[in-house]
Amino acid sequence: MMTKSHKLRSFATSVIGASHVRKGIPCQDYSLAFDDPTTGLHVAIVSDGHGGSTYVRSDRGSEIAVSVAKRVILAFVDDPKAHSLFAGRAGRVTTIASDMPDTLIPLHNPAAGIPDQEKTQSQLDEERQNSDYHSQIEGNEDIEDVMRMLFGRISTMWRQEISDDAAANPFKPEEKALLGNNRLEKAYGATLMAFVVTPRYWFAFQLGDGKMVAYQPDATWTEPVPWDHKCFLNLTTSLCQSDCVARFRYAYNGKGELPIAVFLGSDGLDDTWQTMELLEESYLAVLRNIADDGIESTKKELTDNVLRQWSERGSTDDMSVAAVIDLSATDMMRDIWDEQRKVKTRRNDLFETQGILHENTDRLAEAREKLKQTAEQMCALQAAEKQLQQEIERLETEKKKLQQEIEQHSNEIKAKATDLAARIATLEPEPLEPATPPADKFISDHYSSYCKICTRCVHRTPPPFRPKAESQQ
Amino acid sequence: MSLLDQFEQVPRKVMTLFFLVDKSGSMSGTKINELNVAVRETIPMLQDIASNNADAEIRVAVLEYATTADWMYAEPKSAETFEWCDIRAGGLTSMGAAFKSLEEKLHKERGFMKTASGSFAPVFIHLSDGDPTDNFEHELQKLQGNNWFRSGVKVAIAIGNDANREILKKFTGSDESVLTVHNKEDLKALIRFVTVTSSQVASSHNSSTDNATNKQGEIEKQVKGFVEGNDTGKIEIGSNPDPNAGSWGDEWD
């Protein structure tokens, strides 16, 4: 049971996408939020009209979807049977399994009878989703029946109203050309999601893409409604599909467990942020701003500035945000968020410091490596120095030895020289014999002088040659 | 502090470009040489597109197949740092193995592509000159059941008259996306045009819609314009060439 201490408020805003502005097409998103203080009812609804060229009136389709959903929801919560339906129960349910024998609209399971390893990714996803459905409705078939009837009413009323719209505003030739032979519904195709809170329970439903996220009292984020694997990239389930009733997913809680906030965003937002983590961070910033500046101020800033910037920088698609927020909880969370902000700042500082530490650790490792290399070089140099020292010592020893030998030899030579001088001193000079002229006339003719001791003569002019006749004589 | 100041910087969307390259023995010589040159020369153009696009990051992954199927790199590489490694031809044409390998890498839990949010639909460019030599039907069927493959833009270039265009048509899911070339000049020109055009269109928010089906249509329209304006006039569109026009002979030497 929701207590009076909860101070719930809702808001919704839609902004045209940057690419829509450039192409001159209208905003195809539509959103709505309202609070009824007398009944304690709070509702947020978002619808995203498809962007393909065939969906010529999806802007009207999304507007009609939101209007129809609001009326169906109001009628539902007014029904006394709904008051006790969810009492004491909580759950989440995916799309109707395609292997159900008696579904509202028969579906085909292409994976039946195929071994697991032969199945495609889609078949495996479908099987997993089918299995989830069966376990989720077990024991809650009554809730399943009621919710499918609610979705059936939405689908029927939407189809009726788009038909009325087409009758009141016939298609122009250019619209007909784009629509071609497609069914009327295709012109108005749109997704739909809603979150509804009453004093006794809350429930939520979703058809197609976009993200619904809930901020819980323990400061964690959850997705209340299960995802549909058929929503992938630009592919989405839609009100314009004939099996749309079966493709709704929903969640409910009659146990009084109310999230602090539930945000509904069209896919322009999650396409911009790409990961759930970044999307949740952006919503947390919105919550903090609401706690500081109030809902109206935050909504205005989102509408006038923030969503346009996100669209321009990110997906360029239309952007819708709707939310139901417990302001009493946000007030209480303010201190926690301040702490979280400080922790985040400290964490960022820590990451930065860690980064610097890693850098410095790497540098230290580098320096140690260089030091090691230098130490190794030092060792090598020291070893070389030692070797050289030893070599020097060896050479010194060699040198001493040689010096000794030289000295010894020198002494010996001196001794011998002394001895020789002494011997010479005792000798008388022998008289020189008179020089005899060389017998050789040739030689005497040519020599102007000759050595008297050895009789080898010094030529003044060299004889040209010794004439043969004289030599033979 | 303004609300806007509290938010993180918006991340770039990712568009992954996949090349599937038949490097079987029949591709030896002129065909594989020209293919290598064509792609290597096209990479700088991709780098230009990527660096001039503040919204999108282009990544490139190459699957080459002959007797076995192997990825050029273990993960898709950013176009800004991608380097083409010349492929050498030789072996059989295990197209089924290639489809299987591609499907594994497109698996949302195990493969390259983990999150769909914030990604553009990928582009697949398949180049082949022959017939598969393994059981490809089952693997192709599995591949067609993969969400990434289904939502992606697909183009096939049949290199020569021996290429099995029917199979390539099954791969692309569209007759208009099967293009046949018969000489090296057309091969080079077409590889360059298809790679650049599909990267630009697939990574842009400015196409007539962001829907992948319409991006496929837009690329086919641009390719048709290119083929009609092509000097040689010998590039064929479709898996069943007009029998009255006669088919062009291959001129690979």
Side-chain angles (χ1 to χ4, degrees):
Chain A
M1 177 87 80
M2 315 302 166
T3 67
K4 286 187 182 166
S5 61
H6 291 289
K7 192 173 147 199
L8 300 177
R9 292 289 183 275
S10 62
F11 79 90
T13 183
S14 296
V15 163
I16 186 171
S19 62
H20 288 229
V21 172
R22 284 195 283 269
K23 293 176 222 168
I25 55 179
C27 179
Q28 289 159 327
D29 276 11
Y30 203 87
S31 59
L32 177 149
F34 69 88
D35 309 303
D36 186 346
T38 51
T39 59
L41 175 67
H42 306 271
V43 177
I45 310 173
V46 166
S47 176
D48 178 1
H50 305 322
S53 52
T54 329
Y55 305 100
V56 295
R57 291 192 180 176
S58 62
D59 55 323
R60 283 289 296 142
S62 61
E63 190 179 348
I64 292 170
V66 168
S67 165
V68 161
K70 178 185 172 184
R71 280 177 272 141
V72 170
I73 287 167
L74 285 173
F76 177 83
V77 300
D78 272 347
D79 188 341
K81 286 183 216 157
H83 296 174
S84 56
L85 179 67
F86 302 115
R89 297 199 272 182
R92 56 202 301 264
V93 179
T94 185
T95 61
I96 291 183
S98 52
D99 58 358
M100 289 281 284
D102 55 347
T103 50
L104 292 170
I105 295 169
L107 295 168
H108 169 60
N109 179 12
I114 301 175
D116 270 0
Q117 62 270 24
E118 305 291 313
K119 288 175 187 161
T120 65
Q121 180 68 62
S122 294
Q123 286 166 343
L124 288 168
D125 288 342
E126 184 81 353
E127 282 208 339
R128 197 177 306 134
Q129 210 160 287
N130 287 349
S131 170
D132 287 347
Y133 173 77
H134 290 301
S135 59
Q136 283 158 0
I137 64 164
E138 198 177 332
N140 298 303
E141 290 84 354
D142 55 331
I143 293 178
E144 166 67 4
D145 288 343
V146 166
M147 294 305 288
R148 292 293 160 195
M149 281 197 288
L150 182 147
F151 304 143
R153 278 200 288 278
I154 290 175
S155 171
T156 304
M157 284 173 66
W158 182 78
R159 277 162 171 74
Q160 183 60 55
E161 295 201 12
I162 62 169
S163 181
D164 293 343
D165 183 79
N169 306 287
F171 284 110
K172 297 176 196 155
E174 55 270 26
E175 287 177 315
K176 279 186 188 169
L178 287 167
L179 183 59
N181 293 328
N182 289 299
R183 295 173 290 117
L184 173 74
E185 289 89 341
K186 196 125 186 194
Y188 292 83
T191 66
L192 181 65
M193 63 172 110
F195 182 73
V196 180
V197 185
T198 76
R200 289 184 178 80
Y201 56 84
W202 62 260
F203 69 90
F205 58 79
Q206 185 169 356
L207 172 68
D209 59 16
K211 287 285 185 204
M212 187 188 308
V213 288
Y215 188 62
Q216 301 293 351
D218 62 357
T220 58
W221 289 91
T222 59
E223 285 183 68
V225 176
W227 190 247
D228 183 355
H229 80 94
K230 281 195 163 17
C231 300
F232 183 82
L233 280 182
N234 293 102
L235 300 174
T236 180
T237 51
S238 167
L239 281 165
C240 70
Q241 292 170 320
S242 54
D243 64 345
C244 69
V245 172
R247 297 237 76 101
F248 271 90
R249 305 105 63 189
Y250 64 93
Y252 56 89
N253 191 302
K255 292 182 174 179
E257 295 159 344
L258 182 66
I260 291 174
V262 176
F263 285 93
L264 290 70
S266 58
D267 69 342
L269 264 113
D270 51 275
D271 268 356
T272 291
W273 292 111
Q274 298 182 31
T275 64
M276 287 304 292
E277 196 186 302
L278 286 176
L279 182 67
E280 288 157 8
E281 281 290 325
S282 69
Y283 282 144
L284 192 58
V286 171
L287 274 178
R288 285 198 291 258
N289 213 71
I290 288 173
D292 291 340
D293 298 343
I295 270 193
E296 288 308 315
S297 169
T298 304
K299 176 185 164 178
K300 188 172 186 317
E301 206 178 337
L302 281 170
T303 310
D304 294 347
N305 190 19
V306 173
L307 293 180
R308 284 177 209 286
Q309 293 270 357
W310 285 357
S311 179
E312 185 66 49
R313 294 186 213 167
S315 64
T316 74
D317 198 0
D318 298 331
M319 298 254 180
S320 287
V321 178
V324 177
I325 297 168
D326 184 352
L327 294 179
S328 57
T330 55
D331 284 341
M332 286 192 296
M333 292 296 287
R334 209 189 301 222
D335 289 338
I336 295 175
W337 289 334
D338 283 342
E339 278 306 307
Q340 276 183 335
R341 223 183 307 209
K342 284 181 196 162
V343 166
K344 190 178 174 187
T345 308
R346 290 285 301 276
R347 194 174 58 187
N348 288 343
D349 289 343
L350 182 64
F351 282 146
E352 210 181 306
T353 309
Q354 267 182 343
I356 296 170
L357 182 63
H358 283 139
E359 232 179 87
N360 286 338
T361 305
D362 289 341
R363 279 198 207 142
L364 184 63
E366 254 179 63
R368 280 195 177 135
E369 185 59 33
K370 276 190 189 155
L371 189 63
K372 187 180 163 191
Q373 284 172 3
T374 309
E376 281 167 4
Q377 283 169 358
M378 273 288 278
C379 279
L381 285 170
Q382 278 170 346
E385 189 191 358
K386 192 173 172 187
Q387 242 181 351
L388 282 170
Q389 200 65 36
Q390 286 172 346
E391 186 66 14
I392 289 171
E393 281 170 11
R394 187 188 70 78
L395 289 170
E396 286 289 326
T397 309
E398 228 13 72
K399 179 182 162 191
K400 273 187 192 161
K401 199 172 154 188
L402 284 169
Q403 276 176 339
Q404 282 170 357
E405 283 178 13
I406 289 168
E407 204 177 317
Q408 193 182 348
H409 284 304
S410 177
N411 290 339
E412 282 175 9
I413 289 167
K414 274 187 190 164
K416 282 187 179 172
T418 308
D419 184 47
L420 191 63
R423 286 175 64 192
I424 290 170
T426 58
L427 291 173
E428 281 183 16
E430 287 179 9
L432 285 172
E433 286 179 8
T436 48
D440 192 322
K441 182 178 179 299
F442 175 81
I443 290 172
S444 66
D445 284 345
H446 291 283
Y447 293 149
S448 59
S449 65
Y450 56 92
C451 174
K452 291 184 174 56
I453 296 176
C454 66
T455 71
R456 284 186 184 268
C457 296
V458 177
H459 290 271
R460 179 165 291 173
T461 59
F465 56 87
R466 185 188 288 277
K468 274 189 185 174
E470 285 180 354
S471 65
Q472 281 170 358
Q473 284 173 6
Chain B
M1 186 196 286
S2 147
L3 188 53
L4 205 57
D5 295 332
Q6 299 175 50
F7 294 119
E8 305 268 349
Q9 195 172 2
V10 169
R12 289 165 95 189
K13 278 178 96 156
V14 173
M15 194 286 290
T16 308
L17 172 63
F18 288 88
F19 284 103
L20 277 79
V21 180
D22 175 353
K23 60 171 188 177
S24 57
S26 53
M27 286 284 289
S28 300
T30 307
K31 292 180 194 172
I32 200 69
N33 292 341
E34 292 305 316
L35 187 151
N36 281 325
V37 168
V39 180
R40 206 174 336 105
E41 286 176 357
T42 306
I43 296 297
M45 296 179 195
L46 280 184
Q47 289 165 348
D48 278 341
I49 296 170
S51 52
N52 290 328
N53 189 342
D55 300 332
E57 182 192 344
I58 299 177
R59 294 186 188 161
V60 183
V62 181
L63 177 62
E64 36 187 297
Y65 68 92
T67 308
T68 58
D70 304 292
W71 291 93
M72 191 178 278
Y73 294 102
E75 295 280 334
K77 280 193 157 244
S78 173
E80 279 147 348
T81 56
F82 182 87
E83 283 183 25
W84 179 262
C85 302
D86 278 354
I87 295 174
R88 291 163 67 177
L92 304 173
T93 313
S94 301
M95 209 181 278
F99 294 155
K100 183 177 179 184
S101 189
L102 180 59
E103 198 277 332
E104 279 166 8
K105 288 301 186 186
L106 295 178
H107 197 283
K108 66 180 184 190
E109 275 145 30
R110 295 189 294 270
F112 292 154
M113 326 283 278
K114 298 272 182 342
T115 169
S117 278
S119 295
F120 289 107
V123 172
F124 302 94
I125 301 178
H126 188 177
L127 299 112
S128 172
D129 79 329
D131 262 309
T133 52
D134 63 351
N135 178 13
F136 73 96
E137 291 274 8
H138 169 66
E139 301 301 342
L140 179 59
Q141 203 178 5
K142 270 192 86 170
L143 184 60
Q144 287 165 336
N146 182 287
N147 282 334
W148 282 112
F149 185 77
R150 270 213 303 245
S151 62
V153 171
K154 298 170 275 284
V155 179
I157 298 178
I159 306 176
N161 282 323
D162 292 336
N164 190 319
R165 302 183 210 186
E166 274 306 310
I167 295 173
L168 294 177
K169 180 187 165 185
K170 284 182 186 175
F171 176 84
T172 63
S174 158
D175 205 42
E176 305 291 315
S177 298
V178 178
L179 310 154
T180 308
V181 293
H182 300 281
N183 56 68
K184 62 183 183 185
E185 291 78 20
D186 286 342
L187 176 62
K188 267 179 80 168
L190 193 62
I191 286 175
R192 189 177 307 137
F193 184 81
V194 164
T195 305
V196 168
T197 305
S198 55
S199 299
Q200 279 173 333
V201 169
S203 65
S204 164
H205 287 291
N206 293 327
S207 57
S208 58
T209 176
D210 283 344
N211 183 291
T213 306
N214 284 323
K215 284 190 175 178
Q216 177 92 28
E218 196 169 320
I219 289 166
E220 285 170 5
K221 191 173 142 194
Q222 293 200 34
V223 166
K224 190 175 175 189
F226 169 78
V227 167
E228 283 167 359
N230 186 44
D231 289 340
T232 64
K234 291 181 184 176
I235 301 176
E236 297 172 64
I237 299 179
S239 55
N240 294 312
D242 182 356
N244 294 327
S247 76
W248 297 104
D250 287 340
E251 303 159 9
W252 294 110
D253 293 323

